[in-house]
């Protein structure tokens, strides 16, 4: 099993290095996502996560080259301000300036005529506006509804210049459209109200085309927590039977939505689309004479949970990083201890040095492999697929951990451990080969290093760098203490008991990695999301209330139970 896992680790490293797609053009989309993450976490007072997002931006930004030296230097300057910000407001201001500076650099590298873009946008919207006005004039609600849907589709295809040139105007248009949608869906649609609302919408569009900034900026600091709060308040009003107040809360949700939508659209495109299309309908349905309280509450609860899933996008901790190295390092340490003890008892102490040489070479090659893997995972060529890779590599790590756990379980008895050690050492001593002894030591370390590499590849992208490094340092210190104690008490400590404890720990971490990895793939719509009502998000253990994540974790638990039963039957 262990040799198989080692080979798998090496093969995967090779496959990943060959399978990385190549992109010809320089893209800044991943940088905007990092800024968005930093903004979101700063607003939510998540200091560590905000710094992590800035570190990711700095890492990716260091790889950027540009002929626009002055504009690039401006980004460098503002990035430093954001990194060194000492208060929440200071960082928010710096992040906003950073986004603008990056956008300015992008415009200089890819010059566009904004006035021409506005004119082109106006020409695209002109026939759509005329069609909707025609439907309004006829007063046929069904025709108005169809015209609105067509308007919305074509707006979504043409909105980019508005969003890029003025987020305030973009937000106002989005809000006006949502309120118009509420009026169209009303039980008794008011044509006059719709005409007034559309006149305001048309005026905003014309103002943008003319280069006028007339949007009313929505003041305040908004985050995913803001959206959740509005949904909670709306549900409270629905529970109390005050549907009008609940509808007003949904309207408030819609008003702040344009300020937050990017935080959802960059992580869960399908949720973004559902919220934009369904929230106006919900606000309208709440004002009808017959309100389907249960259906509306269920839909709002689903939205709440899906937003919470994004908000609770789990990071691993220092202890997760330490646990992996501790488990793998301890196993290598125990193998080396067994080799040294055997040599001592066989009167061949002079061969000890070759055990240490083999271990050193194993550590060295593991470090080289780690550097190569780090280079691959942080390559600018895979930025657009980073989250997909994180999810898949995480699942790979979890699968390997299950294999390791089963192997550990099989060695957690005295007889099993003694048989394993005798088999490993006996062949080397009988050959009388120094090379064979060094090879056993090398493989004992390198195979653990290869597994550790794959495990870390699954969790490192979701950890703050300082926490990741600190976890490794803590593990190394603990391993050093263990080494001193074990070598002094050689032969007295029941090594198999260490494996029993390690088995439990490795299964716990595998449970978390399965949940987090499937959750990451759900955010990219690679895996479907089926919410289970009434269950909480517990990100610290990687538990997310969806059928898909729970199914993956249930399979792990079944394998654990099957392993325990199998071992008992063997006895």
């Amino acid at each position: 099993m262990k040799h198989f896992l080692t080979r798998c680790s090496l093969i995967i490293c090779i496959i990943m290095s060959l399978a990385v797609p190549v992109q010809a053009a320089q893209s800044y989309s991943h940088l905007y996502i990092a800024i968005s993450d930093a903004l979101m976490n700063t607003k939510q007072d998540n200091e560590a996560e905000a710094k992590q997002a800035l570190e990711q931006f700095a890492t990716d930004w260091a790889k950027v080259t540009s002929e626009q030296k002055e504009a690039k230097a401006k980004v460098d300057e503002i990035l430093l301000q954001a990194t060194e910000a000492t208060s929440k407001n200071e960082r928010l201001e710096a992040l906003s300036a950073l986004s603008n500076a990056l956008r300015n650099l992008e415009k200089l590298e890819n010059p566009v005529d904004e006035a021409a873009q506005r004119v082109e946008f106006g020409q695209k919207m002109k026939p759509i506006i005329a069609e909707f006005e025609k439907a309004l004039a006829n007063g046929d609600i069904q025709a108005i509804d169809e015209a609105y849907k067509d308007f919305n589709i074509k707006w979504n295809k043409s909105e980019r210049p508005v969003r890029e040139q003025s987020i305030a105007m973009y937000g106002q248009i989005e809000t006006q459209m949502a309120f118009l949608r509420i009026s169209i869906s009303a039980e008794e649609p008011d044509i006059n109200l719709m005409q007034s609302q559309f006149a305001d919408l048309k005026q905003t569009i014309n103002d943008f085309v003319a280069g006028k900034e007339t949007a009313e900026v929505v003041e305040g600091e908004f985050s995913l927590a803001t959206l959740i709060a509005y949904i909670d308040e709306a549900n409270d009003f629905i529970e109390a039977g005050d549907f009008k107040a609940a509808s007003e809360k949904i309207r408030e949700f819609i008003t702040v939505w344009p300020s937050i939508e990017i935080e959802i659209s960059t992580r869960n495109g399908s949720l973004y689309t559902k919220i934009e299309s369904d929230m106006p309908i919900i606000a309208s349905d709440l004002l009808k004479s017959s309100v389907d309280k249960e259906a509306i509450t269920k839909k709002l609860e689903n939205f709440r949970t899906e937003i919470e899933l994004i908000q609770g996008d789990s990071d691993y901790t220092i202890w997760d990083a330490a646990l992996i190295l501790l488990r793998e390092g301890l196993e290598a340490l125990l193998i080396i201890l067994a080799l040294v003890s055997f040599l001592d008892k066989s009167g061949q102490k002079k061969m000890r040095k070759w055990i240490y040489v083999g271990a050193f070479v194993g550590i060295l090659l593991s470090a080289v492999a780690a550097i190569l893997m780090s280079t691959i995972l942080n390559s600018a060529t895979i930025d657009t697929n980073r989250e997909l890779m994180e999810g898949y590599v995480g699942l790979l790590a979890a699968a390997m951990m299950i294999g390791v756990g089963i192997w550990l379980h099989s060695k957690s008895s005295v007889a099993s451990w003694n048989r394993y050690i005798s088999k490993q050492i006996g062949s080397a001593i009988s050959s009388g080969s120094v090379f064979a002894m060094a090879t056993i030591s090398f493989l004992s370390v390198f195979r653990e290093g290869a597994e550790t590499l794959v495990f870390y590849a699954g969790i490192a992208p979701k950890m703050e760098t300082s926490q990741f490094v600190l976890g490794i340092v803590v593990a190394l210190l603990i391993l050093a203490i263990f080494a001193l104690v074990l070598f002094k008490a050689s032969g007295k400590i029941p090594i198999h008991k260490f494996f029993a404890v390690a088995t439990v720990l490795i299964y716990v971490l595998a449970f978390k990695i399965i949940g987090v990895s499937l959750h990451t793939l759900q955010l990219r719509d690679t895996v479907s999301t089926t919410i289970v009502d009434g269950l909480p998000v517990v990100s610290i253990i990687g538990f997310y209330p969806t059928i898909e994540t729970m199914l993956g974790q249930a399979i792990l638990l079944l394998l654990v139970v099957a392993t325990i039963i199998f071992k008992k039957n063997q006895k």
Side-chain angles (χ1 to χ4, degrees):
M1 172 63 76
K2 295 296 289 179
H3 290 291
F4 170 76
L5 294 174
T6 301
R7 293 189 189 106
C8 284
S9 300
L10 296 174
I11 290 169
I12 278 144
C13 289
I14 294 170
I15 290 173
M16 288 182 68
S17 65
L18 294 175
V20 174
V22 178
Q23 296 176 349
Q26 181 166 255
S27 170
Y28 294 147
S29 59
H30 57 293
L31 295 174
Y32 286 115
I33 290 174
I35 293 174
S36 175
D37 287 346
L39 277 167
M40 177 179 68
N41 284 301
T42 299
K43 289 176 180 179
Q44 295 175 355
D45 296 318
N46 296 329
E47 183 77 8
E49 288 82 354
K51 287 183 177 179
Q52 181 184 357
L54 274 172
E55 285 176 7
Q56 183 63 57
F57 181 97
T59 300
D60 293 337
W61 176 248
K63 302 169 187 172
V64 172
T65 57
S66 176
E67 295 180 0
Q68 302 295 332
K69 304 298 182 185
E70 187 176 338
K72 187 175 185 301
K74 186 65 175 176
V75 175
D76 289 332
E77 177 189 338
I78 299 175
L79 174 59
L80 183 62
Q81 293 174 7
T83 304
E84 296 180 349
T86 56
S87 68
K88 178 178 178 179
N89 289 335
E90 186 180 345
R91 179 178 292 140
L92 288 172
E93 186 177 340
L95 288 170
S96 178
L98 182 62
S99 179
N100 291 333
L102 184 61
R103 187 170 288 108
N104 180 57
L105 172 63
E106 200 169 16
K107 287 179 180 178
L108 290 172
E109 290 181 343
N110 306 283
V112 294
D113 186 337
E114 289 190 348
Q117 278 189 337
R118 291 195 298 272
V119 171
E120 183 182 0
F121 169 76
Q123 289 172 344
K124 288 180 179 178
M125 296 301 295
K126 191 172 182 179
I128 309 170
I129 291 172
E131 283 297 317
F132 193 81
E133 285 179 324
K134 182 180 177 181
L136 272 176
N138 291 334
D140 185 340
I141 297 301
Q142 186 174 351
I144 292 172
D145 185 49
E146 290 300 321
Y148 176 87
K149 290 176 181 176
D150 186 54
F151 185 100
N152 187 51
I153 290 170
K154 291 175 180 175
W155 154 253
N156 287 332
K157 291 180 179 179
S158 308
E159 67 180 20
R160 183 173 178 178
V162 186
R163 188 175 63 248
E164 290 181 347
Q165 292 187 32
S166 174
I167 193 65
M169 295 291 278
Y170 169 78
Q172 184 158 301
I173 291 173
E174 286 269 298
T175 303
Q176 289 171 333
M177 287 178 62
F179 287 167
L180 179 58
R181 179 63 174 156
I182 292 172
S183 298
I184 295 172
S185 304
E187 191 170 33
E188 296 180 4
D190 185 335
I191 299 294
N192 291 330
L193 175 60
M194 283 186 271
Q195 289 175 335
S196 174
Q197 289 174 325
F198 188 71
D200 291 339
L201 172 59
K202 179 181 176 181
Q203 185 61 50
T204 303
I205 291 173
N206 289 337
D207 286 344
F208 171 77
V209 173
K212 299 177 182 177
E213 189 73 28
T214 58
E216 297 178 8
V217 179
V218 179
E219 300 291 344
E221 293 181 2
F222 307 112
S223 65
L224 296 178
T226 307
L227 300 182
I228 290 173
Y230 279 131
I231 291 175
D232 286 342
E233 290 178 41
N235 275 332
D236 288 343
F237 282 124
I238 292 172
E239 186 65 28
D242 191 344
F243 301 131
K244 183 177 180 180
S247 181
E248 285 301 317
K249 282 300 171 184
I250 300 301
R251 283 174 174 267
E252 290 179 36
F253 179 106
I254 291 169
T255 301
V256 304
W257 168 251
S259 303
I260 312 170
E261 63 176 35
I262 191 172
E263 297 174 11
I264 291 179
S265 64
T266 55
R267 294 185 174 277
N268 191 334
S270 64
L271 176 60
Y272 164 80
T273 302
K274 285 189 291 185
I275 288 177
E276 282 223 327
S277 61
D278 290 358
M279 276 304 195
I281 304 298
I282 291 173
S284 178
D285 287 347
L286 284 166
L287 297 177
K288 292 181 178 178
S289 57
S290 177
V291 176
D292 190 341
K293 176 179 173 181
E294 185 177 340
I296 291 176
T297 300
K298 182 177 177 60
K299 185 167 285 189
L300 287 176
E301 282 296 336
N302 280 344
F303 281 153
R304 187 194 190 286
T305 302
E306 291 199 61
I307 294 170
E308 191 178 24
L309 286 175
I310 295 175
Q311 186 184 38
D313 193 6
S314 177
D315 287 337
Y316 293 97
T317 68
I318 175 178
W319 301 112
D320 294 316
L323 175 60
I324 288 176
L325 184 56
L326 270 175
R327 204 225 62 79
E328 299 299 326
L330 182 60
E331 184 177 339
L333 185 62
L334 292 174
I335 299 295
I336 292 172
L337 173 63
L339 289 169
V340 171
S341 298
F342 188 89
L343 288 175
D344 289 349
K345 293 174 182 178
S346 303
Q348 301 186 55
K349 290 187 177 181
K350 62 181 181 179
M351 294 181 68
R352 272 184 166 189
K353 65 179 180 181
W354 298 111
I355 295 176
Y356 300 139
V357 167
F360 176 76
V361 174
I363 292 172
L364 186 64
L365 289 184
S366 294
V368 171
I371 292 171
L372 290 175
M373 179 64 82
S374 177
T375 302
I376 292 170
L377 288 178
N378 288 304
S379 171
T381 62
I382 61 169
D383 279 315
T384 57
N385 296 314
R386 183 181 300 279
E387 286 189 338
L388 283 176
M389 288 192 67
E390 289 174 13
Y392 287 129
V393 171
L395 289 177
L396 168 65
M400 291 187 66
M401 280 184 166
I402 293 170
V404 169
I406 293 172
W407 183 88
L408 280 172
H409 203 119
S410 70
K411 302 295 179 288
S412 59
S413 69
V414 177
S416 297
W417 172 249
N418 288 338
R419 281 196 302 271
Y420 176 72
I421 290 301
S422 296
K423 181 180 177 182
Q424 294 292 309
I425 300 174
S427 60
I429 294 297
S430 63
S431 69
S433 169
V434 173
F435 176 76
M437 184 62 68
T439 300
I440 289 179
S441 180
F442 162 74
L443 290 176
S444 297
V445 173
F446 182 72
R447 69 187 177 190
E448 309 308 331
E451 288 167 9
T452 302
L453 171 63
V454 177
F455 298 159
Y456 276 152
I459 73 169
K462 291 184 174 294
M463 286 192 70
E464 187 178 354
T465 302
S466 60
Q467 293 282 299
F468 182 66
V469 173
L470 190 56
I472 292 175
V473 171
V474 169
L476 289 173
L477 289 174
I478 294 174
L479 283 172
I481 294 171
F482 263 109
L484 289 173
V485 173
L486 289 174
F487 276 94
K488 286 185 177 295
S490 178
K492 298 178 182 178
I493 298 177
I495 293 173
H496 64 281
K497 290 188 176 179
F498 283 108
F499 277 29
V501 174
T503 302
V504 176
L505 295 177
I506 211 69
Y507 282 145
V508 169
L509 188 53
F511 183 91
K512 179 173 183 177
I513 291 178
I514 288 171
V516 172
S517 299
L518 286 173
H519 171 55
T520 298
L521 294 175
Q522 285 177 324
L523 294 181
R524 290 297 305 270
D525 286 336
T526 304
V527 173
S528 60
T529 302
T530 309
I531 302 293
V532 178
D533 294 332
L535 296 178
V537 174
V538 189
S539 57
I540 193 170
I541 61 169
F543 180 80
Y544 300 92
T546 72
I547 290 176
E548 294 77 10
T549 54
M550 289 193 294
L551 181 61
Q553 290 167 329
I555 291 172
L556 167 64
L557 296 177
L558 286 174
L559 284 171
V560 172
V561 172
T563 302
I564 293 171
I565 293 173
F566 179 74
K567 186 178 179 184
K568 284 185 177 180
N569 289 338
Q570 278 191 321
K571 287 183 179 180

